[in-house]
Amino acid sequence: MNVSYDPKKVPIISPALSDYADDEGLQTVYVICNPIGATPENPGEGVSFHAATQWLPRQGELLQLENGTQVTVARVLHLLRRSAGQPTLVAMVECVYTNDQTPPFDEP
């Protein structure tokens, strides 16, 4: 599962996406998109997913999601995690919607 609509769950990166990124020399990033004003106590409706990319988004950049929704990169965190027993640096990109409306996401 590469996508989660539950703000309390982190999607698991699929082996297929991981293999694709490795084969193509891409970096995987974990992207979280939340409504403006969302807090950990009140996350609202959003989506989080893993993606393969050639570049790491920077704070302030706009990203257009597959459904046409635009989000603004709020911050980029680098998290150290273990993968297969080895320390691995994971980029986490936090985004907010570019307007006050939370767009409807097409459920898979």
Side-chain angles (χ1 to χ4, degrees):
M1 174 182 72
N2 291 319
V3 178
S4 175
Y5 296 94
D6 184 343
K8 295 179 180 150
K9 292 185 180 176
V10 175
I12 298 168
I13 190 167
S14 72
L17 178 62
S18 183
D19 291 345
Y20 170 75
D22 289 345
D23 291 346
E24 298 296 321
L26 302 174
Q27 176 180 356
T28 56
V29 295
Y30 173 50
V31 181
I32 302 170
C33 301
N34 285 318
I36 292 173
T39 63
E41 298 80 29
N42 185 17
E45 294 180 18
V47 64
S48 62
F49 55 90
H50 291 278
T53 181
Q54 293 178 331
W55 49 271
L56 185 63
R58 295 175 296 195
Q59 187 173 350
E61 288 185 325
L62 294 177
L63 302 179
Q64 185 169 351
L65 306 181
E66 287 180 334
N67 69 354
T69 302
Q70 285 191 339
V71 295
T72 302
V73 176
R75 67 181 175 161
V76 178
L77 302 170
H78 299 276
L79 308 172
L80 189 60
R81 297 288 186 255
R82 290 210 172 262
S83 177
Q86 298 299 315
T88 303
L89 196 61
V90 176
M92 184 175 77
V93 180
E94 289 187 290
C95 301
V96 293
Y97 299 116
T98 55
N99 58 39
D100 290 330
Q101 285 294 91
T102 301
F105 286 103
D106 297 328
E107 290 286 338

